[in-house]
Structures are given as C-alpha cells and as structure tokens.
Amino acid sequence: MIPSSFAYAAPATLRDALSLLAEHPDDTKVMAGGQSLIPLLKLRLASPAVVVDISRLKALGEIEETPSAFRIGALVTHDRLLGDEAITEQWSLVRDAGEELADPLVRNRGTFGGSLAHADPAGDWPAVALAADAVIHVQSQRGAREIPANDFFTYLFTADIADDELLTHVELAKPLPGTVTAYVKIDHPASGYAVAAAGVSLTIDASGTCRAARVAFTGVATTPLRSAAAEQTLEGSTIDAETIQRAVDHAADGINVIGDGYAPVDYRRHLIGVVTGRAIRRALDRRNCTPDNHERPHT
Ligand SMILES: Cc1cc2nc3c(=O)[nH]c(=O)nc-3n(C[C@H](O)[C@H](O)[C@H](O)COP(=O)(O)OP(=O)(O)OC[C@H]3O[C@@H](n4cnc5c(N)ncnc54)[C@H](O)[C@@H]3O)c2cc1C
C-alpha cells in the first residue's frame, strides 16, 4: 500500500528537531531508521501529518565510553552496536541479541533508540535494556528526563515518551565484577521475531552466591518485562542445578502471558521456562573465563 501524504522534514540540529516536535506534537512522527515506521505508514496504521527524519543528527549516532558507562546514541544502528567490541565483551547479551535481530539489511538501517521507542512487545533490544538496567534519556523543549528501562515500556507499542520528546541516548553502566550475561531467543520461523526470549544478567561473588539477578523477557506479554519471581529465586542463592530449576519453574509467575495461533498461552508459558534455563546456563558458561572474572566474548 501507499502511505497517506505527509510533510517531511530532516532537521540538521537537535534544537530544530525538538522545535518541530513541539509545533505539532499530536500529528508528528519521528523517523530514525524507518524499519518499523515505514511499514506502519505503508499499512496506514500511522498517518502523521509530518514526519521528522532525525538521521542528520550525527551526534545521536555516537557511542561514548566513560570509566563507568557506555553512552549509546539513539541513532546507533543495530549493526554498529553489534560491532562495538568494548560493549559486546562486557555485555555478551548485546552480541547474542544483535546477532539474532532481523537480517543484515535491517541491522544496517534500524537503530537502537528506534527499537526502544517503538516498544515492540517482541523486540530484542528492550529485553537487553531491561536485563542490563539501562537508563533511557529523552529530551524536549520542556527539558530532559531519564527513565530506568524497567519503567519505560508501559503498554503494547507504547513507551514513556511524550509526542514532543526525542529519545537521545541510552546509558549502559559497566557491569560489576563477577557479572555474566546472556540472551536466548526462540524465534518465529516466518518473522524471526521472538516467540519467547530471555535476557539474563547475574552478578556472582567469589563464593558463588548470586548477588544480583536480572531476568527479562520479550515476546511473551503486552510489554517486554522482568520476572520478579525468577530474580528473587536467584538472588542470594548459589546458582546450581536446583536453583536454576526453581527459576525455570517460577519464571512465568505473575506474568500475564499472551497467546496466539502459533504459540498459545500454555505453550508460551512453557517457553518462558525454557529460555530462562538456557539463558542462565549460557551466562554461567561464561564465568571464570577472563582474568578479572568478567565475561569472555560470546563463542
Ligand atoms: C524485516 C524486518 C525484520 C525485523 N526483525 C526484528 C527482530 O527480529 N527483532 C527486533 O527487535 N526488531 C526487528 N525488526 C524491527 C527493527 O529492529 C527496527 O529497526 C526497530 O524496531 C525500529 O528502529 P528504527 O530505527 O528503524 O525506527 P523507526 O522505524 O524509524 O521508528 C520506529 C518508531 O520509533 C519512533 N522513534 C524512532 N526513533 C526515535 C527517537 N530517537 N525518539 C523518539 N521516537 C523515536 C518512531 O517515531 C516510530 O514510532 C524488524 C524489522 C523488519 C523490517
């Protein structure tokens, strides 16, 4: 189908972009890589009066590393993030997820920020952001806000970002020593999107006790979300076979699991346990592989 007509603007500065968004907040759509927005326009599921293409805002395409964090610009493409060795060596789940996200064409155009703002309930980066406790930064003419990933995804394709706000960058703190991570996805054979996927981050001390656990899912509910039950099972425990099984058994507790023709609720609930167990084991396999007990690169 052909999109309904719209005005197009490609501002060269963040200031101009924010001013355009402030002018027509209800009737304007930001376009980053266009990999989700353009199909929506073509299907007329979105019919904005104005499309603000932010691809000329080069500063939003940078990754900056500080001693304590990575600052990932909203326009960093999936491929660029996947190619960042400093990030993928410290956060292996970024590599796991990036390698399985869509295809090379989409990875070359689609952006990290666009994926988070789009808030697809089956998107891969949202689960990574949740598992890594990322902080999402947005800006408008009214000022700047930072939102923990855990509060960002509010409903189906809906994030805590107002019509006049632009997602500018995402802050990913460097993992604490002893942290291992992994992402495991069971994808739909036709679309490649997650039927169920888990992102896991475990911080394990020298005695083998798990001090902090994040277990996040995508593809299983109306939003990407964390499993409080699985995290509570893991935290304070030694991660042995029995603990993993308990996390698997309780991973779906409290989650309003969705079903469809391909994966009815009971099957998807089962898959939540499967991806939880696989992700925990994949993360544990990465323990003790580097001198400082951080992760080794994904193999
Ligand atoms: C064939 C195909 C397969 C795919 N498979 C997968 C997959 O397996 N896993 C997966 O996770 N994704 C998949 N995707 C989606 C892809 O990852 C998109 O790139 C991503 O969802 C959106 O990023 P984008 O930069 O293209 O955003 P756009 O399409 O430009 O925008 C998407 C939405 O986010 C808003 N937006 C974008 N950037 C900003 C910003 N900085 N501030 C505020 N709002 C913003 C837009 O207004 C729009 O509503 C697939 C896409 C295609 C076409």
Side-chain angles (χ1 to χ4, degrees), residues 196-281:
V200 162
S201 168
L202 305 172
T203 304
I204 300 171
D205 69 16
S207 74
T209 304
C210 177
R211 294 294 166 204
R214 295 286 178 270
V215 180
F217 300 120
T218 191
V220 304
T222 51
T223 65
L225 78 183
R226 280 171 43 193
S227 166
E231 292 176 2
Q232 282 162 17
T233 303
L234 296 164
E235 283 178 356
S237 300
T238 304
I239 313 292
D240 54 18
E242 198 183 315
T243 306
I244 296 172
Q245 190 56 49
R246 269 193 286 126
V248 167
D249 292 343
H250 292 288
D253 288 2
I255 296 178
N256 199 358
V257 179
I258 52 167
D260 55 34
Y262 180 74
V265 172
D266 285 350
Y267 177 52
R268 212 178 225 113
R269 190 180 293 281
H270 168 73
L271 292 183
I272 289 175
V274 172
V275 290
T276 300
R278 287 184 190 168
I280 293 171
R281 286 193 194 89

Side-chain angles (χ1 to χ4, degrees), residues 52-253:
V52 176
D53 179 348
I54 58 170
S55 59
R56 291 174 69 200
L57 307 183
K58 297 300 173 207
L60 302 194
E62 304 294 327
I63 297 177
E64 283 171 38
E65 183 175 357
T66 70
S68 60
F70 298 101
R71 184 187 151 115
I72 304 168
L75 288 176
V76 167
T77 62
H78 308 320
D79 189 61
R80 164 97 168 76
L81 186 55
L82 188 52
D84 190 296
E85 284 185 13
I87 293 179
T88 54
E89 280 183 17
Q90 295 188 52
W91 288 105
S92 292
L93 84 173
V94 169
R95 179 170 303 165
D96 296 339
E99 282 175 345
E100 296 209 42
L101 193 154
D103 54 48
L105 296 177
V106 173
R107 291 201 290 268
N108 274 328
R109 294 286 313 176
T111 66
F112 188 57
S115 175
L116 297 179
H118 190 50
D120 190 320
D124 293 300
W125 291 136
V128 169
L130 286 165
D133 269 337
V135 177
I136 291 142
H137 291 249
V138 302
Q139 205 173 324
S140 70
Q141 280 192 336
R142 295 174 289 120
R145 291 191 301 135
E146 45 189 85
I147 308 133
N150 203 27
D151 299 331
F152 189 65
F153 307 104
T154 54
Y155 189 56
L156 207 59
F157 294 103
T158 310
D160 178 13
I161 177 165
D163 291 335
D164 64 339
E165 285 179 323
L166 202 60
L167 195 163
T168 52
H169 62 281
V170 176
E171 194 120 345
L172 206 58
K174 291 190 175 169
L176 295 171
T179 300
V180 285
T181 70
Y183 181 82
V184 169
K185 163 163 143 177
I186 294 175
D187 58 359
H188 190 287
S191 71
Y193 276 92
V195 178
V200 162
S201 168
L202 305 172
T203 304
I204 300 171
D205 69 16
S207 74
T209 304
C210 177
R211 294 294 166 204
R214 295 286 178 270
V215 180
F217 300 120
T218 191
V220 304
T222 51
T223 65
L225 78 183
R226 280 171 43 193
S227 166
E231 292 176 2
Q232 282 162 17
T233 303
L234 296 164
E235 283 178 356
S237 300
T238 304
I239 313 292
D240 54 18
E242 198 183 315
T243 306
I244 296 172
Q245 190 56 49
R246 269 193 286 126
V248 167
D249 292 343
H250 292 288
D253 288 2

